[in-house]
Amino acid sequence: MKILLVDDNESIVNMLKKFLTIKGYECTASTSGQNALNVMTKEKFDAVILDLAMPEFSGYDIINELEKNGKIREQNIIVLTASAITTEQMNSLQTKGVKSCLKKPVSPDVLLKIISSFH
Amino acid sequence: MKSDEEYSRLLELSPIAIVYVNEKLVIQSINNKFVEIFGFSKNEIIGKSPIITISERSIKRYEEFTSNQEDKVIDEEVWCKKKNSIEFPCIINAKKIHDPYKKFVGIIAMIEDITKLYEAQKIIENDRVKIQESENIYKGLFELNPDPIRISTLDLVTTSVNQSFLDKFGYSKEEIIGRPIFVTIEDSSRTTIYKTLKDLTNDQRVENIETFYHKKDGTIIPVLLSLSLSRDQEGKPTGYIAVIKDVSEIYEARKKNQENEERILNQYLKLKQVEELKDEFASMISHELTTPLFPIKFHAEMLKDPQIFGSLNNEQINSVNEIYENSILLDKLIRDILDVQKLEQKKLKFTKIDFNIDEFMNKIECISMTMMENKSILFENSTKDKIMINSDPDRLEQVFTNLIKNAIDFVPEKTGKITINAESYDSNYVKFYVKDNGVGIPKEKQHNLFKKFYQIDTSVRRKHGGSGLGLSICKGITDILGGEIWLESTEGQGTTVYFTIPRGTIS
């Protein structure tokens, strides 16, 4: 199962990559929004763990681009954000086609449970 | 003889009273006009002295005339007296008559009653006085008026100004009279004034036009201008009258007022900006603190799980647990700060739904169990009432978790007891409580507990963690939901925190 990790914080992508690799997933990491979008247009992933607040090209930008192309539902996007997002914002993201919204600091157990639901 | 008769007839027809007095100053004859004017019949007056027909105030003149030989003719105004004693003004033309030997033989006098003329003169004199008076009044009004006044021709050349005008604008009379009115008017006001003057119709008076004048030294004066036409006796316009009221003070006050309003508005906008910044700052802080917290907690959790990096020794496990516990506290603190901020700004979202309180209390019981982990606490949910209410269960849960967290922290380690309950209260409310058998709270400190960051002593924070925001958040939430929160506590015996919530309208 292939997972794309997108977060501008290198410490976080490395940590998630290590954890999910140990748990048996094939991980690709990206610390740039634009780069992540490029990767996603070329390759299909079983799940994308996506940070929202990133400089230049944010998680919202990626979601909007994918929504425009109509490809968002193919990607199983899991938003993982440190921002305090309201229920309304969460609902709006899910309407756009985001599968799940998690708030940092999420537990490894919870993250794993969500990912495994896409098997 | 015939000529004598004719002469007599002419005398009788004369429109002027005629009297003849002989050399002994006795009236010899009078004509009809005399009878008509004086009211004496011929019989009554002939043979009498003329004195009875002369007013007291003219007697002296009569005596002068009759006694002085040189004085031969008199033609002057004299006061006479009628039979009924009414005195009246006359013009008397009298002439002493002498015979060829120059012997005085009598006086012939013609008397013209000028009562009507005299009265007319008196009226004219009165009018003249009145006109003088009103002229003086107007002159006074003009000269002494505290507001500058200018009179100009229809061609807008100044013909007259009062003293106030000269004082106000600092010009001498010579610099103003005979010159165009615009000498003292600001360029910006010229068109307005010109148009207003040209549009003035006969009876119109235009008042309080806001315009600007200037002094000789260039100082600009805001004025309220009142304009009217001046007219001659036939009502034909001759020029303009301008009353110029200096409103510098009002203008200054208004300007100051406007400046004040602007300043207040600016301050308000700045404050609003600060409020927004504060809001932004809280969100930013929470985001920026959560970002590094996430890997700290996540790494600790990975280390705790032996299946990931293998087993640790006891010391290492203790150390990792400390990191983990503290990361949870930090996470809670960050979320509490954000909640307090939102509560203060009334931005915390509330979603009310219908729900059953006994089911809700069961859920709280489950959550409490996980919160107590492996502590040995006797936990009891004594809820019996089954009531449907309309409120926000997520926020109520937040209140409960805060209260239960406090209770767990303060109950004795092995004999701890916590009871939760919900029951009908005051028919329209539900009353909840969380009761513990902990250390209790001293009376004098109880009222401070719902304040932000208040903890009874700071050692508690070190021992139990907690942000000091929990009870403040509980109060904020119960306030917004329309309820109240309070506590009862006895030192050494325990604390009960009560809160009420309106049942709301079940849909």
Side-chain angles (χ1 to χ4, degrees):
Chain A
M1 190 172 174
K2 276 162 53 176
I3 298 178
L4 176 65
L5 305 166
V6 190
D7 198 311
D8 63 311
N9 186 317
E10 217 166 316
S11 160
I12 290 173
V13 275
N14 289 342
M15 170 186 82
L16 292 175
K17 189 173 177 182
K18 186 169 270 172
F19 172 66
L20 292 171
T21 309
I22 290 168
K23 291 295 174 185
Y25 294 98
E26 188 186 322
C27 294
T28 306
S30 172
T31 53
S32 131
Q34 186 61 63
N35 171 263
L37 186 65
N38 292 343
V39 172
M40 284 160 87
T41 50
K42 286 178 201 146
E43 214 176 317
K44 197 193 166 297
F45 294 91
D46 298 300
V48 178
I49 296 173
L50 181 64
D51 185 23
L52 286 181
M54 288 185 289
E56 286 162 31
F57 206 79
S58 74
Y60 288 109
D61 295 331
I62 292 178
I63 290 164
N64 289 337
E65 278 300 313
L66 291 174
E67 193 197 10
K68 244 192 269 170
N69 302 340
K71 286 185 176 170
I72 192 161
R73 282 170 208 282
E74 297 169 11
Q75 302 283 356
N76 287 333
I77 291 176
I78 302 165
V79 161
L80 179 58
T81 179
S83 308
I85 57 171
T86 62
T87 321
E88 276 164 28
Q89 286 169 315
M90 222 183 263
N91 289 342
S92 136
L93 286 174
Q94 280 169 350
T95 320
K96 282 173 191 274
V98 168
K99 287 281 155 64
S100 186
C101 283
L102 297 174
K103 277 186 200 169
K104 291 176 186 174
V106 69
S107 286
D109 295 349
V110 175
L111 185 63
L112 217 50
K113 216 192 249 172
I114 298 286
I115 292 171
S116 58
S117 71
F118 297 131
H119 283 186
Chain B
M1 188 68 207
K2 195 183 171 199
S3 74
D4 266 1
E5 262 174 38
E6 207 152 296
Y7 178 67
S8 284
R9 208 168 55 85
L10 275 172
L11 277 183
E12 287 309 331
L13 289 173
S14 167
I16 294 168
I18 300 173
V19 58
Y20 171 62
V21 180
N22 68 10
E23 77 280 3
K24 288 169 188 158
L25 300 179
V26 171
I27 294 172
Q28 281 291 297
S29 71
I30 55 167
N31 68 352
N32 283 341
K33 189 68 184 176
F34 189 99
V35 174
E36 188 190 312
I37 292 175
F38 285 89
F40 291 105
S41 69
K42 287 187 178 176
N43 290 335
E44 283 170 328
I45 197 81
I46 291 174
K48 301 271 169 63
S49 164
I51 285 176
I52 60 165
T53 64
I54 296 167
S55 157
E56 288 291 316
R57 45 182 142 164
S58 292
I59 288 283
K60 209 172 158 200
R61 182 73 190 101
Y62 168 78
E63 283 169 352
E64 261 173 32
F65 177 67
T66 51
S67 58
N68 191 341
Q69 299 248 324
E70 300 300 310
D71 209 354
K72 294 197 168 117
V73 179
I74 178 172
D75 183 9
E76 58 188 65
E77 205 180 306
V78 169
W79 282 83
C80 291
K81 196 163 80 184
K82 295 187 183 188
K83 185 188 171 190
N84 60 10
S85 296
I86 288 174
E87 296 181 354
F88 63 99
C90 299
I91 287 179
I92 292 188
N93 187 295
K95 197 178 172 185
K96 288 177 184 162
I97 303 165
H98 297 85
D99 64 10
Y101 310 102
K102 301 209 173 157
K103 192 189 160 216
F104 173 67
V105 289
I107 299 166
I108 183 123
M110 287 177 281
I111 303 154
E112 194 181 349
D113 180 357
I114 56 162
T115 305
K116 281 184 182 150
L117 181 69
Y118 188 83
E119 277 170 2
Q121 254 177 3
K122 231 163 92 182
I123 288 167
I124 289 167
E125 177 63 17
N126 271 346
D127 282 357
R128 210 185 57 75
V129 169
K130 272 187 200 153
I131 288 167
Q132 187 61 47
E133 272 174 12
S134 74
E135 232 171 56
N136 287 344
I137 290 171
Y138 278 107
K139 212 170 161 194
L141 278 179
F142 177 70
E143 272 310 327
L144 302 176
N145 201 302
D147 290 329
I149 300 174
R150 166 179 14 224
I151 297 168
S152 67
T153 63
L154 290 172
D155 300 328
L156 308 180
V157 172
T158 307
T159 52
S160 179
V161 294
N162 64 357
Q163 194 56 44
S164 309
F165 188 99
L166 300 172
D167 295 347
K168 177 68 72 186
F169 297 108
Y171 286 94
S172 70
K173 238 178 179 135
E174 293 71 41
E175 290 168 312
I176 292 294
I177 307 291
R179 301 192 58 196
I181 60 164
F182 292 121
V183 168
T184 55
I185 296 170
E186 273 292 291
D187 288 356
S188 59
S189 294
R190 287 182 181 191
T191 320
T192 316
I193 292 174
Y194 187 78
K195 272 190 183 161
T196 313
L197 287 173
K198 291 297 161 196
D199 289 348
L200 267 183
T201 58
N202 274 347
D203 301 322
Q204 205 185 356
R205 181 180 160 85
V206 179
E207 299 206 15
N208 300 335
I209 321 164
E210 255 189 82
T211 50
F212 294 93
Y213 275 52
H214 55 243
K215 290 189 188 182
K216 193 181 173 187
D217 68 12
T219 316
I220 294 169
I221 304 179
V223 302
L224 287 180
L225 195 58
S226 297
L227 298 169
S228 54
L229 278 168
S230 64
R231 284 178 294 263
D232 64 12
Q233 288 168 321
E234 283 136 39
K236 247 173 68 189
T238 56
Y240 300 107
I241 302 168
V243 180
I244 304 152
K245 196 169 186 60
D246 177 358
V247 287
S248 302
E249 280 175 29
I250 299 169
Y251 199 78
E252 278 303 307
R254 200 168 60 180
K255 222 166 92 185
K256 228 171 235 171
N257 209 8
Q258 265 171 7
E259 278 168 9
N260 274 346
E261 267 173 31
E262 241 164 70
R263 212 178 46 229
I264 290 168
L265 184 70
N266 277 338
Q267 279 170 348
Y268 167 75
L269 290 176
K270 252 182 216 162
L271 268 178
K272 220 173 116 183
Q273 219 173 9
V274 169
E275 270 303 302
E276 275 163 20
L277 271 179
K278 207 172 127 193
D279 194 19
E280 236 171 71
F281 183 71
S283 311
M284 189 202 66
I285 283 289
S286 105
H287 181 267
E288 294 309 307
L289 292 178
T290 305
T291 299
L293 173 67
F294 175 40
I296 294 171
K297 180 168 164 273
F298 202 90
H299 278 292
E301 284 177 284
M302 285 200 290
L303 285 169
K304 272 160 63 107
D305 181 355
Q307 288 177 348
I308 297 176
F309 296 129
S311 303
L312 306 177
N313 65 32
N314 279 350
E315 288 298 321
Q316 287 166 332
I317 286 175
N318 286 344
S319 195
V320 167
N321 277 341
E322 280 297 319
I323 296 171
Y324 174 69
E325 295 295 336
N326 280 289
S327 71
I328 286 178
L329 284 178
L330 192 54
D331 180 32
K332 173 89 167 80
L333 177 60
I334 294 164
R335 279 186 286 127
D336 280 358
I337 288 172
L338 206 60
D339 276 353
V340 164
Q341 178 75 7
K342 283 181 184 164
L343 273 170
E344 271 180 6
Q345 302 194 336
K346 314 248 179 282
K347 279 184 182 164
L348 201 62
K349 291 269 173 192
F350 283 78
T351 316
K352 290 186 181 180
I353 56 164
D354 294 346
F355 63 96
N356 202 319
I357 59 155
D358 71 313
E359 283 167 21
F360 171 76
M361 291 303 279
N362 286 340
K363 187 186 170 196
I364 296 297
E365 190 178 350
C366 290
I367 293 167
S368 305
M369 291 306 166
T370 57
M371 284 171 74
M372 289 186 293
E373 289 169 340
N374 32 25
K375 281 187 187 160
S376 67
I377 295 170
L378 183 60
F379 190 92
E380 190 191 344
N381 173 11
S382 60
T383 306
K384 289 186 190 77
D385 289 353
K386 291 184 201 296
I387 307 165
M388 280 294 280
I389 67 167
N390 180 277
S391 196
D392 185 334
D394 292 340
R395 294 297 163 199
L396 284 179
E397 184 184 314
Q398 201 178 349
V399 175
F400 262 110
T401 50
N402 272 303
L403 297 180
I404 288 163
K405 170 77 173 59
N406 280 344
I408 291 169
D409 284 344
F410 292 102
V411 292
E413 240 171 71
K414 283 182 184 140
T415 56
K417 190 182 172 194
I418 297 172
T419 310
I420 60 170
N421 185 47
E423 62 192 24
S424 174
Y425 176 74
D426 225 18
S427 77
N428 288 326
Y429 286 84
V430 175
K431 183 167 87 177
F432 301 88
Y433 69 72
V434 176
K435 184 180 183 160
D436 68 53
N437 64 342
V439 291
I441 301 150
K443 260 246 145 34
E444 69 275 12
K445 304 212 165 155
Q446 289 177 8
H447 65 279
N448 277 326
L449 277 174
F450 294 100
K451 288 182 184 163
K452 265 190 287 179
F453 296 112
Y454 185 85
Q455 280 176 330
I456 291 167
D457 71 65
T458 43
S459 65
V460 174
R461 193 190 303 226
R462 282 199 301 277
K463 206 157 98 197
H464 298 286
S467 59
L469 293 170
L471 284 177
S472 153
I473 290 170
C474 292
K475 177 153 171 53
I477 291 171
T478 50
D479 278 354
I480 288 175
L481 288 176
E484 278 181 69
I485 188 164
W486 70 96
L487 61 81
E488 286 168 9
S489 182
T490 313
E491 260 191 288
Q493 287 184 26
T495 302
T496 309
V497 182
Y498 298 93
F499 63 100
T500 57
I501 293 297
R503 289 192 188 191
T505 316
I506 309 296
S507 49

